[in-house]
Amino acid sequence: MKTIPFTKFLFLSLILAGFATSCVQDDDYDVPNTDVKDIEIPGTIVSIESVLGEFAQNDSEQFTFSETNQYLEGYVISSDEAGNFFREIILQNKPENPTAGIKVALFVNSLFTRYQVGQKIYVGLDGFTIGVSNGVVTLGVPDGNFIDEAPAQFEKQIIRSTEIAEIVPLPISINQFSDAYENLFIQLDNVQFTKAQIDANLSFASESEDSFDGERILESCTADATTTLSTSTFADFKGLKLPKGSGTLNGVLSRDYRDEKYIIAINSPADYNMNAERCDPLTYDCGIAATQGSQNILNEDFEAQANGPANISGWVNYAEAGSRSWEVFTDSENVPSMGKAVRMQAFNSGDQSNIAWLITPQIDFDTQDNETLMFDTSNSFSDDSNLRVVLSTNWDGDVNTINDADWGELSAATVVDDGEFYKNVVSSGVVDLSCIEGKAYIAFKYIGSTQQAQDGTYELNNITVDFE
C-alpha cells in the first residue's frame, strides 16, 4: 500500500506554494509559450493505452523513459482553477467513451491557464518516470516507491494542440468502479449525499475535522452502493453546503491517499446538478421504548445452531449478490462474550458486490401490543461495508421478489460503528415496534464488496422480539 507522508505533503502544500512560481525564471530556462499554434510533433505519437500496457508488462514497479522520442497523446480532463487539483494534469485518451487515463504530476501551479479541459496535448516522455502513486498510474519523477511531481522545466516537454474538444462524461455506476476507469472523467446519475450529512448541514470540505481533504459519502438511488467525494481543503468551493437533492455528478475517478478506496474529485461546482427530489429510503421510526417487552415472540442466540452457513428454521439466509451468506460461528478470541453468533464478511470473497440478507420468520403485529426489538452487533473492521436493519410489511417471503417489496429502515436501531473497538459488543437499544401494523419481516442486510474499503465483517447475536 503506497501513501504520501503527511509531513512531506504538508511541506509541498504550504511552504513551497509560493516558491513554485518564483522558481520559474527566464534565466533558468525558457518560460513555456502560452500561445497555442498549429504544431508538428517532433517524435512518435503514442497512446495512453500503449504506455499503460508497456508499464503493465514491465517487471519493475517504476521505469524511466529514455531516448524514446515518444509523445503521449491525451485530452485534459482536470482543472486546478478552483483549487481541487494540485500540480497535476489528468489525461484520458478520448473526449468521449474513453478507455484509458493517466496522471501527469508537475511542480507547477495555475496549469489551467495553459491547459484547458478538453484540450489535446502531447507529453514528451523522455525523462519522465511512470509508476503507481497512491493507487493511480502517474508520470513524474521517482521518490522511493512514490512518483513525485516532475520539476517545472519538464513542462517544456508538453506541446499543446489547437484542438479543444468537449469532454463527455462516461456514465457508469458505483458498482462498476474498477482500475480500468481510473483517471477517467465519469458521470454518476441518480446519486445524492446521505441524509445524515444533509441533516448535519455539512460543507464540501470546511468542517473542523477536515484535514487536507473533506470526504463526503455519495449514495446511489438505484442500487445499494456508496462512494466518496473528495474535496481539497484548498478548494475555492470547500465552504459550499452539500446539495440537498439528488441528481448527476461528474468527476475524475481516482483513489484516496492510502489507496484504500475509490474517490471522485470534481473540477468545480459546475460538475454537479442535484436539484431533483431526494430518494431517501422508507423508514419506520417508532422511537426507543422505555422498557423491553416482558413476553417473547422471537429469541435467537444461535447456541443451538451448527457452525457454518446459517440454516435456521423459519429464517431466510439469502445471498442476493456474491458468493457469501451469513454464517454461524464461535468466537472464542475476538468477542468471546458473544459465544455463538452469526457474521457476514466480504473479505477475500473475490466478488464485485456482496449483498446478504438474514430475515426473521414473519411476525404478526396485530396479535399483541407494544412490541420491541433488541439485538447485539460487533465488527471486525467493518470499513465502508454496511449493515442495515430493515422491515417489510408487503414481502411475500419469496427471495425472488425481495427487491419488489418495500423495505423500511428501522432508524432507531443502533448498529455498531466502524470506529468501535473490535472486541466491543454494541446493543441496539430497545427499539419500539408498536407503530408497526399487520404482518412483517425484519431483515439484517449486509452490503459490501471485495474492495479493500468495503470488505469488512459484521457480527450479530441475541435477536429478540418481545411484547407487553
Side-chain angles (χ1 to χ4, degrees):
M1 186 181 299
K2 302 177 177 67
T3 63
I4 293 177
F6 176 91
T7 53
K8 175 182 173 185
F9 186 84
L10 182 61
F11 178 74
L12 291 175
S13 300
L14 302 178
I15 299 177
L16 291 182
F19 178 76
T21 55
S22 65
C23 71
V24 182
Q25 300 294 335
D26 289 345
D27 55 356
D28 290 333
Y29 57 90
D30 294 334
V31 176
N33 188 347
T34 59
D35 295 330
V36 178
K37 300 177 181 179
D38 291 331
I39 45 86
E40 292 185 3
I41 305 304
T44 303
I45 297 173
V46 294
S47 67
I48 295 175
E49 300 99 313
S50 66
V51 170
L52 294 179
E54 182 180 358
F55 173 58
Q57 295 174 17
N58 194 283
D59 292 334
S60 303
E61 292 187 0
Q62 303 173 353
F63 71 84
T64 301
F65 294 91
S66 177
E67 298 182 357
T68 67
N69 200 30
Q70 292 179 340
Y71 283 78
L72 176 73
E73 178 184 67
Y75 290 85
V76 177
I77 59 171
S78 63
S79 171
D80 60 2
E81 183 173 9
N84 203 31
F85 289 88
F86 184 66
R87 295 177 182 164
E88 61 189 3
I89 304 172
I90 314 298
L91 301 176
Q92 65 183 35
N93 62 334
K94 295 185 291 185
E96 187 172 2
N97 295 319
T99 56
I102 197 167
K103 180 169 77 172
V104 182
L106 282 172
F107 196 78
V108 179
N109 295 321
S110 300
L111 290 162
F112 77 94
T113 62
R114 296 177 296 287
Y115 311 104
Q116 300 180 49
V117 171
Q119 187 161 29
K120 181 190 284 188
I121 66 173
Y122 301 87
V123 181
L125 291 175
D126 287 339
F128 275 103
T129 297
I130 187 171
V132 176
S133 194
N134 306 101
V136 176
V137 179
T138 304
L139 289 172
V141 294
D143 181 9
N145 292 327
F146 301 99
I147 298 296
D148 210 343
E149 298 150 349
Q153 49 263 48
F154 274 68
E155 192 182 1
K156 292 191 296 184
Q157 298 176 208
I158 300 179
I159 300 174
R160 297 178 302 155
S161 165
T162 57
E163 180 182 350
I164 300 177
E166 177 186 359
I167 299 297
V168 179
L170 178 68
I172 65 173
S173 66
I174 295 172
N175 285 332
Q176 290 178 285
F177 285 2
S178 71
D179 293 352
Y181 295 105
E182 284 182 14
N183 289 322
L184 299 184
F185 198 68
I186 66 166
Q187 175 176 308
L188 297 179
D189 293 320
N190 298 313
V191 293
Q192 65 183 17
F193 292 98
T194 62
K195 187 174 184 297
Q197 293 174 125
I198 299 302
D199 290 346
N201 200 31
L202 293 186
S203 64
F204 279 86
S206 64
E207 311 307 323
S208 59
E209 63 271 18
D210 294 327
S211 177
F212 294 107
D213 295 295
E215 294 192 342
R216 305 293 182 258
I217 303 302
L218 278 167
E219 60 184 4
S220 171
C221 290
T222 58
D224 284 315
T226 62
T227 190
T228 300
L229 179 78
S230 181
T231 304
S232 170
T233 54
F234 297 98
D236 294 348
F237 57 91
K238 66 179 182 180
L240 291 181
K241 299 300 182 182
L242 299 177
K244 296 181 179 180
S246 67
T248 298
L249 183 139
N250 305 323
V252 177
L253 183 64
S254 188
R255 301 283 290 180
D256 72 318
Y257 283 128
R258 294 179 175 83
D259 188 20
E260 293 178 338
K261 60 187 175 184
Y262 291 106
I263 61 166
I264 305 291
I266 64 175
N267 287 316
S268 75
D271 283 333
Y272 63 82
N273 182 355
M274 303 174 73
N275 296 319
E277 290 186 8
R278 291 185 60 81
C279 58
D280 293 324
L282 173 67
T283 61
Y284 292 104
D285 187 6
C286 313
I288 293 294
T291 58
Q292 182 180 5
S294 58
Q295 301 183 67
N296 186 252
I297 301 173
L298 175 71
N299 185 2
E300 183 58 67
D301 60 8
F302 305 102
E303 292 298 329
Q305 308 300 326
N307 285 357
N311 185 16
I312 309 162
S313 178
W315 290 62
V316 174
N317 184 14
Y318 171 57
E320 177 188 336
S323 58
R324 296 284 177 83
S325 60
W326 288 88
E327 63 175 355
V328 178
F329 75 112
T330 302
D331 194 338
S332 58
E333 181 178 351
N334 291 337
V335 196
S337 63
M338 269 202 165
K340 276 197 172 182
V342 289
R343 67 184 172 192
M344 173 60 203
Q345 56 186 346
F347 182 67
N348 281 341
S349 70
D351 301 320
Q352 184 176 1
S353 175
N354 287 100
I355 303 175
W357 299 71
L358 185 65
I359 309 174
T360 68
Q362 188 182 64
I363 299 169
D364 188 347
F365 285 88
D366 291 339
T367 59
Q368 64 279 311
D369 296 318
N370 300 321
E371 300 92 346
T372 60
L373 166 70
M374 292 190 71
F375 58 88
D376 293 331
T377 53
S378 63
N379 80 80
S380 296
F381 311 105
S382 59
D383 302 322
D384 288 337
S385 58
N386 184 252
L387 178 62
R388 298 175 57 202
V389 186
V390 294
L391 180 146
S392 177
T393 59
N394 64 358
W395 183 46
D396 61 7
D398 183 350
V399 295
N400 295 309
T401 63
I402 202 164
N403 286 311
D404 296 327
D406 298 315
W407 292 91
E409 198 101 24
L410 289 172
S411 55
T414 297
V415 175
V416 65
D417 184 80
D418 181 51
E420 190 73 35
F421 183 54
Y422 72 95
K423 288 182 178 288
N424 292 349
V425 175
V426 174
S427 171
S428 63
V430 184
V431 183
D432 189 352
L433 300 179
S434 61
C435 63
I436 308 300
E437 297 179 351
K439 297 178 180 179
Y441 295 89
I442 299 172
F444 299 87
K445 182 180 181 182
Y446 173 97
I447 304 164
S449 76
T450 196
Q451 295 176 22
Q452 186 173 357
Q454 296 179 318
D455 63 355
T457 301
Y458 281 96
E459 295 129 356
L460 171 67
N461 202 3
N462 300 324
I463 304 165
T464 63
V465 178
D466 302 294
F467 70 98
E468 290 295 341

